[in-house]
Amino acid sequence: MSSPDYKEDIVATTARRGSYQASKEEILARFKRVEGQIGGIAQMGGGERYCPDVPTQLSASIAALEKIGMLLLRDHIAHCVVDDVNAGEADATLDELLAVIHRFTGR
């Protein structure tokens, strides 16, 4: 790698089709499920729900979104990153990957 530190400002410079196309239906189904969860949480906020129920449902929604993110990252690594490394573009690709992981994990 060109630098031991990740670079937060690295962005993809090549427009390409998402590597998640193979699992697109699964990912879209998961997004729809989360969308329903969020709608339910919004209704809970306007209702007379027991207070701890709302954070519990928020936690479930956050976990579902994190799972989607991990699926997307896995597909990206398995396809785009592997392809770029095989094409001799390892340094830039790995720097970008580390930046994405850093943003995704908030660390």
Side-chain angles (χ1 to χ4, degrees), residues 9-47:
D9 58 346
I10 294 175
V11 294
T13 56
T14 305
R16 57 180 151 189
R17 188 173 180 198
S19 62
Y20 58 86
Q21 294 302 313
S23 55
K24 186 176 182 177
E25 293 303 318
E26 176 188 1
I27 290 170
L28 288 175
R30 287 176 181 269
F31 274 125
K32 289 287 188 190
R33 208 171 305 130
V34 170
E35 186 176 37
Q37 284 179 311
I38 299 298
I41 294 168
Q43 289 178 352
M44 290 173 77

Side-chain angles (χ1 to χ4, degrees), residues 19-102:
S19 62
Y20 58 86
Q21 294 302 313
S23 55
K24 186 176 182 177
E25 293 303 318
E26 176 188 1
I27 290 170
L28 288 175
R30 287 176 181 269
F31 274 125
K32 289 287 188 190
R33 208 171 305 130
V34 170
E35 186 176 37
Q37 284 179 311
I38 299 298
I41 294 168
Q43 289 178 352
M44 290 173 77
E48 296 291 324
R49 292 299 296 258
Y50 181 56
C51 296
D53 289 347
V54 177
T56 298
Q57 291 305 311
L58 283 171
S59 178
S61 296
I62 291 167
L65 288 168
E66 287 175 345
K67 176 67 175 175
I68 293 168
M70 288 301 210
L71 288 170
L72 290 167
L73 277 173
R74 184 199 182 289
D75 285 352
H76 176 64
I77 292 166
H79 300 285
C80 298
V81 172
V82 168
D83 290 348
D84 287 353
V85 168
N86 289 336
E89 301 172 16
D91 286 346
T93 299
L94 294 176
D95 285 345
E96 178 188 56
L97 177 61
L98 287 175
V100 168
I101 290 170
H102 181 265

